[in-house]
């Protein structure tokens, strides 16, 4: 498990997105526990990584993989495409 960020296209159509993910590194005990039991350290406030950068420099991270997305974007005529409100 990890965290990632990518921009959603604002143009209609099918889009292929690549989202690189990361996770908090944690202590050596937390890494050992994650290896054998799963899980791992989590951010208490994930929003802080996108809003302010004051404390972000202290966060030690490691890569967690890449997520590939196929995203269909429609902007209007939702009923025509079977989207219900």
């Amino acid at each position: 498990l990890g965290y990632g960020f990518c921009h959603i296209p604002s143009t209609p159509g099918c889009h292929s997105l690549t989202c690189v993910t990361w996770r908090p590194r944690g202590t050596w005990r937390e890494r050992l526990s994650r290896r054998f039991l799963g899980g791992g350290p989590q951010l208490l406030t994930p929003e802080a990584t996108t809003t302010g950068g004051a404390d972000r420099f202290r966060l030690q991270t490691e890569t967690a993989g890449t997520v590939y997305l196929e995203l269909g974007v429609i902007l209007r005529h939702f009923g025509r495409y079977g989207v219900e409100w």
Side-chain angles (χ1 to χ4, degrees), residues 6-9 14-20 66-73:
C6 60
H7 292 282
I8 305 270
C14 293
H15 302 277
S16 298
L17 302 175
T18 303
C19 184
V20 178
T66 304
V67 176
Y68 300 99
L69 302 164
E70 291 288 328
L71 186 66
V73 177

Side-chain angles (χ1 to χ4, degrees), residues 3 43-52 56:
Y3 300 91
L43 298 177
L44 294 177
T45 55
E47 307 84 35
T49 60
T50 58
T51 55
R56 203 176 337 164

Side-chain angles (χ1 to χ4, degrees), residues 44-85:
L44 294 177
T45 55
E47 307 84 35
T49 60
T50 58
T51 55
D55 293 331
R56 203 176 337 164
F57 70 94
R58 286 190 260 152
L59 187 61
Q60 293 183 358
T61 63
E62 58 188 20
T63 60
T66 304
V67 176
Y68 300 99
L69 302 164
E70 291 288 328
L71 186 66
V73 177
I74 56 174
L75 300 177
R76 60 183 196 157
H77 304 299
F78 294 108
R80 196 182 298 172
Y81 297 103
V83 178
E84 298 178 10
W85 285 81

Side-chain angles (χ1 to χ4, degrees), residues 26-42:
T27 64
W28 68 271
R29 286 184 184 188
E30 290 170 329
R31 291 193 304 270
L32 185 64
S33 175
R34 178 175 51 228
R35 184 165 205 75
F36 292 107
L37 302 175
Q42 297 179 3

